[in-house]
Amino acid sequence: MALLGCLVCNPAASMQPVSDLPLESLGNERWLLPAGQYQGNFVIEQPMQLHCEEGARFDAGGKGHGLLIRAAKVRVEGCSFANWGRSLTEMNSGVFVSAASHQASLLNNHLEGPGFGIWVDGASDILIQGNDITGDAALRSQDRGNGIHLYAVTGARVIDNRVRLTRDGIYIDTSNRNHLQGNVLEELRYGIHYMFSNDNRVIGNLTRGTRTGYALMQSRKLEVLNNRSVEDQNYGILMNYITYSTISGNQVVAVKSGSTGDSMISGAEGKALFIYNSVFNRIENNLFAHSALGIHLTAGSEDNQITGNAFVNNQHQVKYVATRTQEWSDASRGNYWSDYLGWDRNSDGLGDIPYEPNDNVDRLLWLYPQMRLLLHSPAIELLRWVQQAFPVVKFPGVRDSYPLMEKPVWPERASVYETD
């Protein structure tokens, strides 16, 4: 058994060096922990690789961190952590990675407890891959910690993890140049939650049954590519003060209306995409389908490029509140709208008349939802004819001058989540 040095005790808990465990040396600072129950709060203070046999389980006794890492180039693999503290103020975590722990790797671990799952505090070049993290379903959502929490982190890779029943799945705060890919995030408040973070990539993740799939806030230069949101509530993708970002190739399906009890922005109409005070973004080649509301723009969300998307069988396709008309086409290519009633006489794949969803009828429906009962009545048809014949009565809204006649094709996996 190797001794890893003395410890300055954590005020929140009495910590023990990992060297107090029955480690078997595998050479080159690699250590194997045999199966068994290990009670207490443990710390690693120098570079090492810790591998756990199946059945090796850390139990923190309901307080503090399960494991505190205070050294660079530490690797922890195949371990189980449970029953750590629940104090969110003290950031109690299954695994807490300190600012000195650059290039740490957390691989294929299992964590189940009430506080934060994995907290990375100011370290760089961290790898978090293949971990399974479960929160405490007995606690209210707001009383749980986040599954993976990155604070002031750069160069992290968060790949192929599964998180469920925590507060947020992956929370990124004041952290730049990080990469999130292939994570599965279920039964949470927010699946992925960005705050004040720039130059991040979010690729190929899945959220399901959350109260918001992707909450992107106060950030710029995000690349959000090829993700899925399936049966989330309130919002599939929420953009709040997002600039110079690319939202492309994502599939948002079956967003439902839900509770707004802990929503940061009022309104919960089941929006596939909600854009609030966000400008200069590219939103292209996404699928927004079978939701209460396809897309809602408000609070100055203008000057975004919105092309090549498919809005399919949403109860309401577009809600736009602003002062000037927005053109949603570029280089003679617009979007696909399942409720478009135009034609294509020259067979070029583009509708011959523009798609303009935000007419006076739509505005009346926003104010008086009960009017849907009259949607196909002669009075409504007459009102639509009048505003077409006399454009002076039209309000500013969305205009797609080149609507697509055929729905774009997504990868085959889309068929699992989409039904026409």
Side-chain angles (χ1 to χ4, degrees):
M1 182 172 69
L3 294 178
L4 301 184
C6 296
L7 168 71
V8 176
C9 291
N10 187 323
S14 177
M15 305 290 291
Q16 308 171 53
V18 167
S19 60
D20 289 350
L21 300 175
L23 301 178
E24 177 184 345
S25 176
L26 300 176
N28 298 322
E29 299 301 331
R30 298 177 67 237
W31 300 89
L32 178 66
L33 181 65
Q37 295 277 355
Y38 302 100
Q39 296 287 137
N41 310 102
F42 295 90
V43 64
I44 296 176
E45 289 199 306
Q46 72 179 43
M48 69 177 296
Q49 296 184 35
L50 175 64
H51 298 258
C52 290
E53 285 187 347
E54 185 176 354
R57 183 174 185 266
F58 291 84
D59 188 323
K63 61 182 181 180
H65 307 312
L67 177 65
L68 172 60
I69 299 176
R70 283 181 168 169
K73 298 183 179 180
V74 170
R75 177 185 178 113
V76 178
E77 182 171 6
C79 302
S80 292
F81 299 89
N83 194 27
W84 58 88
R86 65 179 59 197
S87 172
L88 305 185
T89 303
E90 296 177 357
M91 302 178 290
N92 290 164
S93 308
V95 179
F96 189 94
V97 182
S98 70
S101 305
H102 307 298
Q103 300 181 45
S105 299
L106 304 175
L107 308 176
N108 304 316
N109 300 290
H110 180 87
L111 302 93
E112 184 169 355
F116 297 92
I118 296 171
W119 182 299
V120 183
D121 195 65
S124 62
D125 301 319
I126 302 296
L127 174 61
I128 303 172
Q129 183 169 0
N131 301 283
D132 191 297
I133 303 172
T134 304
D136 186 347
L139 297 175
R140 297 183 305 166
S141 174
Q142 57 266 42
D143 294 331
R144 306 171 195 165
N146 301 316
I148 298 172
H149 190 114
L150 307 182
Y151 175 73
V153 172
T154 57
R157 290 173 294 153
V158 182
I159 300 172
D160 295 339
N161 301 281
R162 184 183 183 193
V163 183
R164 57 194 180 278
L165 295 174
T166 62
R167 182 171 59 189
D168 295 346
I170 305 174
Y171 182 94
I172 304 96
D173 183 8
T174 322
S175 298
N176 303 327
R177 299 186 299 281
N178 300 293
H179 183 98
L180 279 57
Q181 183 168 352
N183 301 285
V184 177
L185 311 159
E186 302 174 289
E187 299 179 76
L188 308 158
R189 182 184 68 163
Y190 300 153
I192 292 178
H193 186 183
Y194 271 93
M195 292 293 294
F196 308 107
S197 299
N198 307 320
D199 299 289
N200 281 261
R201 292 169 60 84
V202 184
I203 300 176
N205 302 281
L206 167 64
T207 65
R208 181 164 42 208
T210 74
R211 293 198 291 282
T212 291
Y214 303 84
L216 314 176
M217 301 185 180
Q218 308 280 353
S219 303
R220 58 182 173 83
K221 294 186 179 179
L222 302 180
E223 292 186 25
V224 183
L225 312 176
N226 304 324
N227 301 283
R228 289 171 288 165
S229 162
V230 180
E231 295 183 347
D232 291 319
Q233 290 186 2
N234 300 344
Y235 314 103
I237 299 175
L238 183 155
M239 301 171 62
N240 178 19
Y241 288 85
I242 297 296
T243 57
Y244 302 104
S245 296
T246 299
I247 315 296
S248 179
N250 303 286
Q251 301 173 35
V252 181
V253 179
V255 181
K256 300 171 289 186
S257 299
S259 170
T260 61
D262 56 2
S263 179
M264 287 191 176
I265 297 178
S266 62
E269 293 92 341
K271 302 170 184 178
L273 175 62
F274 183 33
I275 307 177
Y276 183 92
N277 204 8
S278 298
V279 295
F280 310 127
N281 300 292
R282 292 170 54 205
I283 301 166
E284 56 191 18
N285 305 323
N286 302 285
L287 171 67
F288 303 110
H290 308 293
S291 300
L293 179 57
I295 180 172
H296 180 190
L297 295 88
T298 190
S301 296
E302 302 177 350
D303 298 308
N304 295 295
Q305 181 177 311
I306 302 176
T307 59
N309 304 285
F311 297 87
V312 180
N313 295 339
N314 299 296
Q315 295 177 28
H316 194 79
Q317 297 279 51
V318 179
K319 185 173 182 178
Y320 170 67
V321 180
T323 57
R324 61 187 176 95
T325 297
Q326 293 291 297
E327 175 59 51
W328 283 5
S329 64
D330 182 66
S332 300
R333 182 173 185 263
N335 304 272
Y336 173 81
W337 308 90
S338 62
D339 59 343
Y340 177 65
L341 300 178
W343 52 86
D344 179 16
R345 290 177 177 172
N346 61 358
S347 300
D348 64 354
L350 303 174
D352 293 341
I353 60 174
Y355 178 81
E356 297 181 288
N358 287 155
D359 59 12
N360 291 337
V361 173
D362 288 327
R363 291 173 178 271
L364 286 173
L365 288 173
W366 300 343
L367 294 173
Y368 309 106
Q370 62 271 27
M371 278 188 56
R372 292 186 183 279
L373 297 173
L374 305 175
L375 191 58
H376 300 292
S377 69
I380 295 296
E381 295 300 323
L382 177 61
L383 180 57
R384 290 193 188 276
W385 177 83
V386 167
Q387 66 182 9
Q388 290 177 358
F390 304 98
V392 70
V393 303
K394 291 177 62 176
F395 289 97
V398 168
R399 177 185 177 93
D400 186 343
S401 298
Y402 301 95
L404 305 179
M405 298 300 294
E406 297 291 334
K407 182 173 61 176
V409 177
W410 278 268
E412 189 171 342
R413 63 185 170 88
S415 62
V416 176
Y417 302 99
E418 179 196 356
T419 55
D420 288 325

